[in-house]
mmCIF file of all heavy atoms in Angstrom:
data_model
loop_
_atom_site.group_PDB
_atom_site.id
_atom_site.type_symbol
_atom_site.label_atom_id
_atom_site.label_comp_id
_atom_site.label_asym_id
_atom_site.label_seq_id
_atom_site.Cartn_x
_atom_site.Cartn_y
_atom_site.Cartn_z
ATOM 1 N N LYS A 7 0.840 -1.195 -0.001
ATOM 2 C CA LYS A 7 -0.015 0.004 -0.002
ATOM 3 C C LYS A 7 0.864 1.254 -0.013
ATOM 4 O O LYS A 7 0.589 2.196 -0.701
ATOM 5 C CB LYS A 7 -0.929 -0.030 1.226
ATOM 6 C CG LYS A 7 -1.751 1.195 1.393
ATOM 7 C CD LYS A 7 -2.965 1.162 0.577
ATOM 8 C CE LYS A 7 -3.836 2.344 0.970
ATOM 9 N NZ LYS A 7 -4.438 2.941 -0.184
ATOM 10 N N LYS A 8 1.947 1.247 0.805
ATOM 11 C CA LYS A 8 2.741 2.426 0.934
ATOM 12 C C LYS A 8 3.760 2.659 -0.198
ATOM 13 O O LYS A 8 3.950 3.752 -0.680
ATOM 14 C CB LYS A 8 3.557 2.380 2.240
ATOM 15 C CG LYS A 8 2.700 2.635 3.494
ATOM 16 C CD LYS A 8 3.560 2.463 4.720
ATOM 17 C CE LYS A 8 4.242 3.812 4.965
ATOM 18 N NZ LYS A 8 4.908 3.828 6.260
ATOM 19 N N PHE A 9 4.371 1.523 -0.636
ATOM 20 C CA PHE A 9 5.464 1.641 -1.599
ATOM 21 C C PHE A 9 5.207 1.036 -3.004
ATOM 22 O O PHE A 9 6.044 1.195 -3.872
ATOM 23 C CB PHE A 9 6.735 1.021 -1.028
ATOM 24 C CG PHE A 9 7.175 1.682 0.246
ATOM 25 C CD1 PHE A 9 7.041 0.999 1.427
ATOM 26 C CD2 PHE A 9 7.707 2.897 0.283
ATOM 27 C CE1 PHE A 9 7.433 1.542 2.620
ATOM 28 C CE2 PHE A 9 8.105 3.504 1.457
ATOM 29 C CZ PHE A 9 7.972 2.817 2.629
ATOM 30 N N GLY A 10 4.094 0.389 -3.165
ATOM 31 C CA GLY A 10 3.773 -0.226 -4.454
ATOM 32 C C GLY A 10 4.768 -1.283 -4.847
ATOM 33 O O GLY A 10 5.152 -2.106 -4.022
ATOM 34 N N LYS A 11 5.171 -1.265 -6.100
ATOM 35 C CA LYS A 11 6.063 -2.351 -6.555
ATOM 36 C C LYS A 11 7.510 -2.154 -6.064
ATOM 37 O O LYS A 11 8.345 -3.034 -6.289
ATOM 38 C CB LYS A 11 6.051 -2.438 -8.078
ATOM 39 C CG LYS A 11 6.685 -1.326 -8.819
ATOM 40 C CD LYS A 11 6.656 -1.613 -10.272
ATOM 41 C CE LYS A 11 7.422 -0.515 -11.082
ATOM 42 N NZ LYS A 11 7.454 -0.852 -12.474
ATOM 43 N N TRP A 12 7.777 -1.090 -5.356
ATOM 44 C CA TRP A 12 9.133 -0.863 -4.832
ATOM 45 C C TRP A 12 9.295 -1.317 -3.379
ATOM 46 O O TRP A 12 10.248 -0.949 -2.749
ATOM 47 C CB TRP A 12 9.487 0.647 -4.963
ATOM 48 C CG TRP A 12 9.513 1.066 -6.375
ATOM 49 C CD1 TRP A 12 8.567 1.865 -7.006
ATOM 50 C CD2 TRP A 12 10.450 0.698 -7.376
ATOM 51 N NE1 TRP A 12 8.931 1.977 -8.325
ATOM 52 C CE2 TRP A 12 10.039 1.261 -8.564
ATOM 53 C CE3 TRP A 12 11.570 -0.102 -7.325
ATOM 54 C CZ2 TRP A 12 10.737 1.098 -9.725
ATOM 55 C CZ3 TRP A 12 12.322 -0.314 -8.511
ATOM 56 C CH2 TRP A 12 11.883 0.324 -9.699
ATOM 57 N N ARG A 13 8.367 -2.083 -2.897
ATOM 58 C CA ARG A 13 8.474 -2.541 -1.505
ATOM 59 C C ARG A 13 9.690 -3.409 -1.314
ATOM 60 O O ARG A 13 10.306 -3.477 -0.243
ATOM 61 C CB ARG A 13 7.170 -3.280 -1.091
ATOM 62 C CG ARG A 13 6.931 -4.549 -1.869
ATOM 63 C CD ARG A 13 5.620 -5.185 -1.473
ATOM 64 N NE ARG A 13 5.314 -6.272 -2.355
ATOM 65 C CZ ARG A 13 4.502 -7.281 -2.051
ATOM 66 N NH1 ARG A 13 3.852 -7.218 -0.922
ATOM 67 N NH2 ARG A 13 4.244 -8.222 -2.913
ATOM 68 N N GLY A 14 10.035 -4.184 -2.340
ATOM 69 C CA GLY A 14 11.262 -5.001 -2.260
ATOM 70 C C GLY A 14 12.559 -4.180 -2.163
ATOM 71 O O GLY A 14 13.511 -4.506 -1.493
ATOM 72 N N ALA A 15 12.533 -3.067 -2.916
ATOM 73 C CA ALA A 15 13.705 -2.166 -2.885
ATOM 74 C C ALA A 15 13.883 -1.531 -1.492
ATOM 75 O O ALA A 15 15.021 -1.343 -1.034
ATOM 76 C CB ALA A 15 13.562 -1.118 -3.935
ATOM 77 N N VAL A 16 12.758 -1.235 -0.857
ATOM 78 C CA VAL A 16 12.851 -0.680 0.492
ATOM 79 C C VAL A 16 13.416 -1.707 1.482
ATOM 80 O O VAL A 16 14.251 -1.377 2.343
ATOM 81 C CB VAL A 16 11.411 -0.191 0.962
ATOM 82 C CG1 VAL A 16 11.433 0.191 2.417
ATOM 83 C CG2 VAL A 16 10.921 0.947 0.084
ATOM 84 N N ALA A 17 13.016 -2.940 1.325
ATOM 85 C CA ALA A 17 13.511 -4.041 2.198
ATOM 86 C C ALA A 17 14.989 -4.216 1.955
ATOM 87 O O ALA A 17 15.786 -4.431 2.903
ATOM 88 C CB ALA A 17 12.720 -5.287 1.958
ATOM 89 N N VAL A 18 15.423 -4.158 0.697
ATOM 90 C CA VAL A 18 16.875 -4.355 0.381
ATOM 91 C C VAL A 18 17.651 -3.194 0.927
ATOM 92 O O VAL A 18 18.769 -3.399 1.470
ATOM 93 C CB VAL A 18 17.064 -4.483 -1.124
ATOM 94 C CG1 VAL A 18 18.515 -4.348 -1.543
ATOM 95 C CG2 VAL A 18 16.464 -5.762 -1.625
ATOM 96 N N ALA A 19 17.146 -1.971 0.871
ATOM 97 C CA ALA A 19 17.818 -0.801 1.443
ATOM 98 C C ALA A 19 18.006 -0.951 2.940
ATOM 99 O O ALA A 19 19.090 -0.667 3.515
ATOM 100 C CB ALA A 19 17.080 0.482 1.130
ATOM 101 N N HIS A 20 16.976 -1.450 3.652
ATOM 102 C CA HIS A 20 17.104 -1.706 5.057
ATOM 103 C C HIS A 20 18.036 -2.832 5.359
ATOM 104 O O HIS A 20 18.769 -2.790 6.331
ATOM 105 C CB HIS A 20 15.711 -2.008 5.679
ATOM 106 C CG HIS A 20 14.913 -0.802 5.905
ATOM 107 N ND1 HIS A 20 14.137 -0.196 4.947
ATOM 108 C CD2 HIS A 20 14.710 -0.061 7.049
ATOM 109 C CE1 HIS A 20 13.498 0.833 5.492
ATOM 110 N NE2 HIS A 20 13.884 0.917 6.771
ATOM 111 N N ALA A 21 18.130 -3.812 4.481
ATOM 112 C CA ALA A 21 19.060 -4.909 4.662
ATOM 113 C C ALA A 21 20.498 -4.393 4.570
ATOM 114 O O ALA A 21 21.397 -4.843 5.316
ATOM 115 C CB ALA A 21 18.825 -5.986 3.618
ATOM 116 N N VAL A 22 20.718 -3.479 3.650
ATOM 117 C CA VAL A 22 22.090 -2.886 3.581
ATOM 118 C C VAL A 22 22.445 -2.155 4.803
ATOM 119 O O VAL A 22 23.554 -2.268 5.351
ATOM 120 C CB VAL A 22 22.173 -1.969 2.314
ATOM 121 C CG1 VAL A 22 23.453 -1.167 2.305
ATOM 122 C CG2 VAL A 22 22.060 -2.800 1.014
ATOM 123 N N ALA A 23 21.517 -1.447 5.374
ATOM 124 C CA ALA A 23 21.698 -0.673 6.637
ATOM 125 C C ALA A 23 22.031 -1.652 7.737
ATOM 126 O O ALA A 23 22.945 -1.398 8.619
ATOM 127 C CB ALA A 23 20.535 0.188 6.973
ATOM 128 N N VAL A 24 21.346 -2.761 7.848
ATOM 129 C CA VAL A 24 21.560 -3.764 8.901
ATOM 130 C C VAL A 24 22.944 -4.391 8.698
ATOM 131 O O VAL A 24 23.651 -4.605 9.686
ATOM 132 C CB VAL A 24 20.452 -4.816 8.865
ATOM 133 C CG1 VAL A 24 20.787 -6.032 9.717
ATOM 134 C CG2 VAL A 24 19.131 -4.253 9.320
ATOM 135 N N CYS A 25 23.337 -4.661 7.500
ATOM 136 C CA CYS A 25 24.666 -5.227 7.235
ATOM 137 C C CYS A 25 25.787 -4.241 7.588
ATOM 138 O O CYS A 25 26.839 -4.617 8.096
ATOM 139 C CB CYS A 25 24.805 -5.689 5.738
ATOM 140 S SG CYS A 25 23.870 -7.148 5.453
ATOM 141 N N ILE A 26 25.545 -2.956 7.348
ATOM 142 C CA ILE A 26 26.536 -1.950 7.748
ATOM 143 C C ILE A 26 26.638 -1.900 9.296
ATOM 144 O O ILE A 26 27.720 -1.766 9.861
ATOM 145 C CB ILE A 26 26.129 -0.531 7.211
ATOM 146 C CG1 ILE A 26 26.390 -0.559 5.689
ATOM 147 C CG2 ILE A 26 26.917 0.602 7.870
ATOM 148 C CD1 ILE A 26 25.841 0.674 4.971
ATOM 149 N N LEU A 27 25.511 -2.057 10.009
ATOM 150 C CA LEU A 27 25.557 -2.134 11.465
ATOM 151 C C LEU A 27 26.361 -3.371 11.888
ATOM 152 O O LEU A 27 27.086 -3.256 12.897
ATOM 153 C CB LEU A 27 24.099 -2.182 11.977
ATOM 154 C CG LEU A 27 23.922 -2.234 13.472
ATOM 155 C CD1 LEU A 27 24.337 -0.888 14.106
ATOM 156 C CD2 LEU A 27 22.501 -2.581 13.819
ATOM 157 N N ALA A 28 26.195 -4.447 11.180
ATOM 158 C CA ALA A 28 26.929 -5.664 11.567
ATOM 159 C C ALA A 28 28.426 -5.441 11.373
ATOM 160 O O ALA A 28 29.238 -5.936 12.161
ATOM 161 C CB ALA A 28 26.486 -6.837 10.745
ATOM 162 N N VAL A 29 28.827 -4.733 10.346
ATOM 163 C CA VAL A 29 30.248 -4.466 10.104
ATOM 164 C C VAL A 29 30.800 -3.572 11.227
ATOM 165 O O VAL A 29 31.913 -3.727 11.717
ATOM 166 C CB VAL A 29 30.430 -3.818 8.712
ATOM 167 C CG1 VAL A 29 31.827 -3.248 8.572
ATOM 168 C CG2 VAL A 29 30.164 -4.835 7.630
ATOM 169 N N MET A 30 29.931 -2.643 11.696
ATOM 170 C CA MET A 30 30.422 -1.773 12.811
ATOM 171 C C MET A 30 30.593 -2.595 14.084
ATOM 172 O O MET A 30 31.600 -2.380 14.785
ATOM 173 C CB MET A 30 29.375 -0.671 13.038
ATOM 174 C CG MET A 30 29.326 0.379 11.937
ATOM 175 S SD MET A 30 28.045 1.630 12.055
ATOM 176 C CE MET A 30 27.763 1.882 13.751
ATOM 177 N N PHE A 31 29.729 -3.574 14.320
ATOM 178 C CA PHE A 31 29.950 -4.453 15.474
ATOM 179 C C PHE A 31 31.190 -5.298 15.286
ATOM 180 O O PHE A 31 31.931 -5.591 16.256
ATOM 181 C CB PHE A 31 28.747 -5.355 15.720
ATOM 182 C CG PHE A 31 27.703 -4.684 16.562
ATOM 183 C CD1 PHE A 31 26.493 -4.248 15.992
ATOM 184 C CD2 PHE A 31 27.843 -4.558 17.944
ATOM 185 C CE1 PHE A 31 25.536 -3.660 16.774
ATOM 186 C CE2 PHE A 31 26.929 -3.982 18.689
ATOM 187 C CZ PHE A 31 25.728 -3.530 18.152
ATOM 188 N N SER A 32 31.451 -5.688 14.048
ATOM 189 C CA SER A 32 32.661 -6.500 13.792
ATOM 190 C C SER A 32 33.908 -5.661 14.049
ATOM 191 O O SER A 32 34.912 -6.173 14.586
ATOM 192 C CB SER A 32 32.626 -6.989 12.339
ATOM 193 O OG SER A 32 33.820 -7.654 12.013
ATOM 194 N N ARG A 33 33.908 -4.416 13.630
ATOM 195 C CA ARG A 33 35.023 -3.509 13.912
ATOM 196 C C ARG A 33 35.216 -3.355 15.418
ATOM 197 O O ARG A 33 36.345 -3.257 15.914
ATOM 198 C CB ARG A 33 34.839 -2.172 13.243
ATOM 199 C CG ARG A 33 34.758 -2.189 11.775
ATOM 200 C CD ARG A 33 36.010 -2.663 11.118
ATOM 201 N NE ARG A 33 35.830 -2.693 9.703
ATOM 202 C CZ ARG A 33 36.633 -3.277 8.895
ATOM 203 N NH1 ARG A 33 37.691 -3.871 9.337
ATOM 204 N NH2 ARG A 33 36.386 -3.301 7.598
ATOM 205 N N LEU A 34 34.106 -3.280 16.167
ATOM 206 C CA LEU A 34 34.164 -3.119 17.645
ATOM 207 C C LEU A 34 34.848 -4.368 18.206
ATOM 208 O O LEU A 34 35.618 -4.289 19.154
ATOM 209 C CB LEU A 34 32.793 -2.929 18.162
ATOM 210 C CG LEU A 34 32.677 -2.843 19.699
ATOM 211 C CD1 LEU A 34 33.341 -1.572 20.194
ATOM 212 C CD2 LEU A 34 31.209 -2.840 20.141
ATOM 213 N N SER A 35 34.528 -5.536 17.643
ATOM 214 C CA SER A 35 35.172 -6.772 18.069
ATOM 215 C C SER A 35 36.663 -6.726 17.853
ATOM 216 O O SER A 35 37.422 -7.152 18.733
ATOM 217 C CB SER A 35 34.532 -7.924 17.299
ATOM 218 O OG SER A 35 35.327 -9.043 17.458
ATOM 219 N N ASP A 36 37.059 -6.200 16.733
ATOM 220 C CA ASP A 36 38.532 -6.041 16.450
ATOM 221 C C ASP A 36 39.189 -5.133 17.424
ATOM 222 O O ASP A 36 40.334 -5.364 17.854
ATOM 223 C CB ASP A 36 38.733 -5.541 15.029
ATOM 224 C CG ASP A 36 38.325 -6.512 13.969
ATOM 225 O OD1 ASP A 36 38.151 -7.721 14.314
ATOM 226 O OD2 ASP A 36 38.093 -6.121 12.822
ATOM 227 N N ILE A 37 38.507 -4.061 17.835
ATOM 228 C CA ILE A 37 39.088 -3.111 18.785
ATOM 229 C C ILE A 37 39.203 -3.752 20.145
ATOM 230 O O ILE A 37 40.168 -3.601 20.891
ATOM 231 C CB ILE A 37 38.242 -1.811 18.883
ATOM 232 C CG1 ILE A 37 38.338 -1.036 17.563
ATOM 233 C CG2 ILE A 37 38.613 -0.971 20.053
ATOM 234 C CD1 ILE A 37 37.442 0.108 17.438
ATOM 235 N N LEU A 38 38.192 -4.588 20.529
ATOM 236 C CA LEU A 38 38.205 -5.251 21.831
ATOM 237 C C LEU A 38 39.332 -6.273 21.962
ATOM 238 O O LEU A 38 39.849 -6.505 23.064
ATOM 239 C CB LEU A 38 36.888 -5.925 22.131
ATOM 240 C CG LEU A 38 35.722 -4.973 22.494
ATOM 241 C CD1 LEU A 38 34.472 -5.756 22.660
ATOM 242 C CD2 LEU A 38 36.065 -4.240 23.773
ATOM 243 N N ILE A 39 39.702 -6.872 20.827
ATOM 244 C CA ILE A 39 40.816 -7.843 20.864
ATOM 245 C C ILE A 39 42.129 -7.139 21.219
ATOM 246 O O ILE A 39 42.963 -7.693 21.918
ATOM 247 C CB ILE A 39 40.914 -8.585 19.479
ATOM 248 C CG1 ILE A 39 39.740 -9.461 19.282
ATOM 249 C CG2 ILE A 39 42.220 -9.315 19.347
ATOM 250 C CD1 ILE A 39 39.668 -10.128 17.958
ATOM 251 N N LEU A 40 42.316 -5.908 20.822
ATOM 252 C CA LEU A 40 43.533 -5.151 21.081
ATOM 253 C C LEU A 40 43.678 -4.706 22.510
ATOM 254 O O LEU A 40 44.777 -4.428 22.963
ATOM 255 C CB LEU A 40 43.648 -3.967 20.151
ATOM 256 C CG LEU A 40 43.687 -4.317 18.608
ATOM 257 C CD1 LEU A 40 43.707 -3.044 17.793
ATOM 258 C CD2 LEU A 40 44.894 -5.170 18.350
ATOM 259 N N GLN A 41 42.568 -4.651 23.257
ATOM 260 C CA GLN A 41 42.656 -4.191 24.649
ATOM 261 C C GLN A 41 43.153 -5.334 25.555
ATOM 262 O O GLN A 41 42.957 -6.498 25.268
ATOM 263 C CB GLN A 41 41.245 -3.747 25.127
ATOM 264 C CG GLN A 41 40.814 -2.478 24.479
ATOM 265 C CD GLN A 41 39.463 -2.037 25.028
ATOM 266 O OE1 GLN A 41 38.817 -2.722 25.763
ATOM 267 N NE2 GLN A 41 39.080 -0.821 24.688
ATOM 268 N N ASP A 42 43.768 -4.907 26.673
ATOM 269 C CA ASP A 42 44.323 -5.899 27.577
ATOM 270 C C ASP A 42 43.236 -6.593 28.397
ATOM 271 O O ASP A 42 43.237 -7.809 28.521
ATOM 272 C CB ASP A 42 45.341 -5.241 28.512
ATOM 273 C CG ASP A 42 46.562 -4.799 27.807
ATOM 274 O OD1 ASP A 42 46.879 -5.365 26.761
ATOM 275 O OD2 ASP A 42 47.190 -3.849 28.257
ATOM 276 N N ASP A 43 42.323 -5.830 29.001
ATOM 277 C CA ASP A 43 41.295 -6.370 29.850
ATOM 278 C C ASP A 43 39.961 -5.806 29.452
ATOM 279 O O ASP A 43 39.439 -4.886 30.084
ATOM 280 C CB ASP A 43 41.608 -6.063 31.322
ATOM 281 C CG ASP A 43 40.703 -6.824 32.243
ATOM 282 O OD1 ASP A 43 40.134 -7.843 31.826
ATOM 283 O OD2 ASP A 43 40.565 -6.373 33.400
ATOM 284 N N PRO A 44 39.317 -6.349 28.394
ATOM 285 C CA PRO A 44 38.036 -5.786 27.952
ATOM 286 C C PRO A 44 36.908 -6.200 28.923
ATOM 287 O O PRO A 44 36.914 -7.280 29.540
ATOM 288 C CB PRO A 44 37.829 -6.368 26.625
ATOM 289 C CG PRO A 44 38.577 -7.652 26.640
ATOM 290 C CD PRO A 44 39.755 -7.435 27.528
ATOM 291 N N ALA A 45 35.898 -5.347 29.040
ATOM 292 C CA ALA A 45 34.760 -5.607 29.921
ATOM 293 C C ALA A 45 33.828 -6.663 29.205
ATOM 294 O O ALA A 45 33.228 -7.470 29.898
ATOM 295 C CB ALA A 45 33.976 -4.333 30.148
ATOM 296 N N VAL A 46 33.814 -6.642 27.921
ATOM 297 C CA VAL A 46 33.022 -7.593 27.134
ATOM 298 C C VAL A 46 33.979 -8.435 26.274
ATOM 299 O O VAL A 46 34.885 -7.847 25.684
ATOM 300 C CB VAL A 46 31.988 -6.845 26.255
ATOM 301 C CG1 VAL A 46 31.188 -7.830 25.442
ATOM 302 C CG2 VAL A 46 31.090 -5.969 27.090
ATOM 303 N N THR A 47 33.721 -9.679 26.199
ATOM 304 C CA THR A 47 34.671 -10.546 25.392
ATOM 305 C C THR A 47 34.419 -10.238 23.887
ATOM 306 O O THR A 47 33.305 -9.929 23.467
ATOM 307 C CB THR A 47 34.414 -11.999 25.688
ATOM 308 O OG1 THR A 47 33.067 -12.332 25.329
ATOM 309 C CG2 THR A 47 34.641 -12.323 27.111
ATOM 310 N N ALA A 48 35.490 -10.386 23.173
ATOM 311 C CA ALA A 48 35.420 -10.092 21.731
ATOM 312 C C ALA A 48 34.636 -11.127 21.023
ATOM 313 O O ALA A 48 33.959 -10.877 20.012
ATOM 314 C CB ALA A 48 36.844 -9.988 21.177
ATOM 315 N N SER A 49 34.647 -12.337 21.525
ATOM 316 C CA SER A 49 33.887 -13.406 20.820
ATOM 317 C C SER A 49 32.362 -13.210 20.910
ATOM 318 O O SER A 49 31.665 -13.519 20.005
ATOM 319 C CB SER A 49 34.251 -14.755 21.417
ATOM 320 O OG SER A 49 33.898 -14.861 22.772
ATOM 321 N N SER A 50 31.872 -12.636 22.031
ATOM 322 C CA SER A 50 30.471 -12.357 22.121
ATOM 323 C C SER A 50 30.025 -11.266 21.182
ATOM 324 O O SER A 50 28.952 -11.326 20.582
ATOM 325 C CB SER A 50 30.066 -12.060 23.551
ATOM 326 O OG SER A 50 30.700 -10.853 23.958
#
């Protein structure tokens, strides 16, 4: 109703945003590995 035949494109755009968020968490994991005593484990 809202987006017509472009509803799939909206979902794909949101998927790209979610994947970018996942990459940011992955980078945070890399930073936590470099710390000596992290509060949160890098594997989690």
Side-chain angles (χ1 to χ4, degrees):
K7 175 82 171 139
K8 288 178 83 172
F9 300 108
K11 71 177 183 175
W12 297 108
R13 64 184 173 159
V16 172
V18 169
H20 280 83
V22 169
V24 169
C25 288
I26 289 172
L27 181 70
V29 168
M30 289 173 35
F31 274 107
S32 176
R33 299 293 180 194
L34 178 67
S35 164
D36 293 342
I37 291 171
L38 285 176
I39 289 173
L40 298 176
Q41 290 183 351
D42 291 334
D43 189 22
V46 179
T47 62
S49 62
S50 63

